[in-house]
Amino acid sequence: DTAVSQTPKYLVTQMGNDKSIKCEQNLGHDTMYWYKQDSKKFLKIMFSYNNKELIINETVPNRFSPKSPDKAHLNLHINSLELGDSAVYFCASSHSGQPQHFGDGTRLSIL
Amino acid sequence: GESVGLHLPTLSVQEGDNSIINCAYSNSASDYFIWYKQESGKGPQFIIDIRSNMDKRQGQRVTVLLNKTVKHLSLQIAATQPGDSAVYFCADYPNAGGTSYGKLTFGQGTILTVHP
């Protein structure tokens, strides 16, 4: 009964490929997020959706496209993967203005 | 730009000692602060939070102190245990009651190592 679950946990792929990461939350939250954590553990928000509507879109290359089919799901599609995309990507969810609950991350490695 | 940062990137303590992790913030509009713990291979886990109308909040073995005058936040862990070893992040919500829609800004992180 994991609250925020991401798949896959590990993703190893070659430069130039297109890949997707899926996220689901069963907490009934209205807001979902994607974060990127670099090798120095720095966490930075990428996107946020509130009730399926995009509300935060930080300076992220347009190769990254989030999609929210419903309030419980927020997927992240990445086109033309680059070496610099290697990182851990975290999905999170919350009610607006409340602490965010994080998944356990997807470790993306670009060869 | 606005930032939330940490004074000490690493902290080593003996089991049973008290630990103090510090954080400085620069955004004067910050009104809600959260401490997260991140264990190896896991996502950040909520520990405790505090709103700007408070200067102290206690949980189980943890206490958060907020000094708005100097824009400083600290996390105190009592009787630190090996299971407390992790990376600790402070995070900041500006105007949390308004339309910030959860734009958390995370600090650098402090690595806490507890020796048995």
Side-chain angles (χ1 to χ4, degrees):
Chain A
D1 57 344
T2 306
V4 181
S5 59
Q6 305 178 220
T7 54
K9 188 173 175 68
Y10 298 95
L11 186 51
V12 181
T13 190
Q14 291 192 324
M15 210 163 48
N17 284 350
D18 303 338
K19 290 293 179 185
S20 292
I21 308 172
K22 295 185 176 182
C23 180
E24 176 181 5
Q25 56 96 2
N26 62 4
L27 296 166
H29 291 156
D30 57 7
T31 308
M32 295 186 71
Y33 315 81
W34 277 109
Y35 285 83
K36 180 180 180 179
Q37 187 172 47
D38 63 21
S39 58
K40 296 181 181 176
K41 298 286 188 182
F42 183 66
L43 262 167
K44 186 165 168 50
I45 191 165
M46 300 171 68
F47 302 103
S48 175
Y49 272 73
N50 177 265
N51 288 317
K52 300 198 302 173
E53 198 174 322
L54 180 66
I55 53 172
I56 294 176
N57 185 350
E58 292 295 283
T59 308
V60 177
N62 57 15
R63 298 182 293 106
F64 290 78
S65 52
K67 282 189 173 52
S68 182
D70 55 58
K71 286 200 309 182
H73 295 84
L74 180 62
N75 304 322
L76 183 65
H77 187 75
I78 316 170
N79 288 327
S80 303
L81 281 157
E82 300 177 358
L83 289 175
D85 297 333
S86 294
V88 183
Y89 292 84
F90 286 99
C91 177
S93 72
S94 75
H95 290 300
S96 295
Q98 296 297 314
Q100 294 170 19
H101 296 251
F102 286 79
D104 283 338
T106 295
R107 284 138 192 87
L108 175 63
S109 298
I110 310 301
L111 303 177
Chain B
E2 306 292 358
S3 65
V4 179
L6 288 167
H7 292 304
L8 299 173
T10 62
L11 178 63
S12 286
V13 300
Q14 290 296 126
E15 183 177 1
D17 286 351
N18 295 332
S19 302
I20 299 176
I21 300 171
N22 296 301
C23 177
Y25 66 94
S26 58
N27 187 349
S28 56
S30 301
D31 57 2
Y32 182 39
F33 304 88
I34 306 173
W35 281 101
Y36 282 93
K37 171 187 180 184
Q38 186 178 20
E39 296 175 282
S40 181
K42 300 284 188 181
Q45 179 185 7
F46 171 83
I47 302 173
I48 192 167
D49 58 0
I50 189 167
R51 298 201 179 262
S52 58
N53 61 350
M54 303 171 70
D55 53 20
K56 181 178 179 178
R57 190 158 190 230
Q58 286 184 291
Q60 188 176 13
R61 286 200 305 118
V62 294
T63 301
V64 55
L65 298 177
L66 175 62
N67 185 330
K68 294 182 285 294
T69 302
V70 295
K71 296 180 185 171
H72 185 266
L73 192 67
S74 68
L75 177 70
Q76 300 178 1
I77 305 174
T80 317
Q81 302 166 1
D84 295 327
S85 294
V87 179
Y88 288 80
F89 295 93
C90 63
D92 156 88
Y93 255 127
N95 304 313
T99 59
S100 65
Y101 287 112
K103 190 174 176 179
L104 272 180
T105 300
F106 279 82
Q108 181 184 6
T110 291
I111 301 171
L112 174 65
T113 304
V114 183
H115 300 284

